[in-house]
Amino acid sequence: MDFVIGGSLAAFSIYAAAKWQKSDKDKIQHTFRNVGYTVKDHEPKLFKTHKSDNSTLYTYHVPYGLIDDDELNVLDKVLNKPVNVSFVNGKLHIRVYKNKIPVRIKYDWNKTDDWTVPIGQSHDQFISHDFDKIPHMAISGMTRQGKTVLLKLIFSHLIHNHPDDAEFTIIDLKGGLEFNRFSNLEQVNAVASDVFEAKEALTSVLNQIRNDMYCFKSKGYTNVLNTNISNRKFIIVDEGAELTPGSHLSKEEKQDYQYCQNALSEIARVSGALGYRLIFATQYPTADTLPRQIKQNADAKISFRLPTETASRVAIDEKGAETLANVGRCIYRTHERREVQSLFVDDNDIKERLSVYDAPRAKENSETRKDYVQFG
Ligand SMILES: Nc1ncnc2c1ncn2[C@@H]1O[C@H](COP(=O)(O)OP(=O)(O)OP(=O)(O)O)[C@@H](O)[C@H]1O
């Protein structure tokens, strides 16, 4: 008899555990209470649940006065699933994703439409950036988090997709270590590796812009998108903070730095409609290192992990970049915000794919093509 009772209890426990194991919905409601996400006795009330393939969205009415959602950051640990908390039209949205984002995703060199570039994978969709819809981009992130890999991904993809139409001016202020090796590519106009070379390269870009502006005006064009002009000119800055005039510099020395910052601000302000696209990356987003004009005109902001919430607010106008978990993880912020694992591209792959555009070889090839036409 004892045996029968013991056996029944064990079975009951398993049954009870299965039956009364808390659902995500219950755990969320308990969390509201436990973390004090309430006003007096009033707590958020669930009024809609919507399931999709990748996630479940719980929508809550919240008592007046509850807005800041900091306490709810614990939810991904409570549920052991990725969670996104936001306010939409005064309602609290808690989206619980089924799957975690992978920590490494390799770039596959697949071609894309127009001036679109693949960025990475979010919880529920693949994220691409269209440089014809959003011309300028500001990228922030602490050291070794993935900025340069992302810049090389964008650069390689654009050349791979538009070998005849993409042009680059690159300001690589890490001493040219990353981009100097591409200086021979036929799509690359200049790789500047210090402030003096940057000044020269940017002067040339500003002259081109003035020239293009004159041509646009004389033809009555208002935007490159409404013309048959097929090329786009990219200005990539890797480590923009190096253009901040340090307090140790003399007045004359500071002028070169100031010139470069002003030139980049002008590019951000006036050149998008002419087909120029600025991609500005920095480790230290502050009012000095990420000039206001650049930030305001870069409608796409990407941030890898940053040291503080304040830095996150400078980079993407909101907190969050300070809590990003792993290398290559970033927030892609346009009118929407997405957490994304950016694609990884290998240096050897880039070398192999882009070497066909190495200028001397490309020139040889074009001469061979010419011979073929002449003698064929
Ligand atoms: N998307 C990614 N997925 C996985 N690993 C990555 C990714 N991006 C970068 N890494 C790894 O992190 C390392 C550092 O990346 P990267 O050179 O882009 O850093 P960074 O942010 O430019 O740093 P710094 O500002 O110090 O130059 C890479 O060598 C690579 O091993």
Side-chain angles (χ1 to χ4, degrees), residues 7 49 61 89-90 111 126 144 170 222 242 286 306 326 331 350-351 356:
T49 302
H61 286 298
N89 299 330
K111 299 224 171 182
F126 194 81
R144 311 295 296 159
I170 301 174
T222 53
E242 293 293 323
T286 66
L306 285 169
N326 48 279
I331 294 169
I350 298 180
K351 196 172 158 202
V356 290

Side-chain angles (χ1 to χ4, degrees), residues 19-36:
K19 183 161 173 61
W20 287 306
Q21 196 185 29
K22 285 192 177 32
S23 63
D24 285 352
K25 187 180 78 175
D26 293 338
K27 288 181 188 170
I28 294 171
Q29 204 69 45
H30 273 76
T31 304
F32 290 147
R33 262 166 251 154
N34 293 344
V35 302

Side-chain angles (χ1 to χ4, degrees), residues 103-105 141-150 152 174 178 238-239 283 304 327-329 341-345:
V103 292
R104 195 177 180 99
I105 310 168
M142 279 155 63
T143 180
R144 311 295 296 159
Q145 293 298 307
K147 291 182 304 298
T148 306
V149 169
L150 179 62
K152 285 192 282 192
K174 292 172 177 165
E178 293 291 348
D238 195 4
E239 209 26 76
Q283 282 177 2
F304 293 87
V327 172
R329 191 59 61 93
Q341 181 64 29
S342 59
L343 302 183
F344 179 76
V345 62

Side-chain angles (χ1 to χ4, degrees), residues 260-276:
C260 292
Q261 283 199 333
N262 292 346
L264 289 167
S265 295
E266 183 170 344
I267 290 167
R269 224 176 42 244
V270 304
S271 72
L274 303 171
Y276 291 75

Side-chain angles (χ1 to χ4, degrees), residues 74-95:
V74 293
L75 277 174
D76 48 3
K77 294 205 176 66
V78 172
L79 305 181
N80 193 24
K81 291 175 190 169
V83 176
N84 184 269
V85 179
S86 59
F87 271 91
V88 180
N89 299 330
K91 308 268 186 316
L92 174 66
H93 280 200
I94 298 185
R95 190 179 287 279

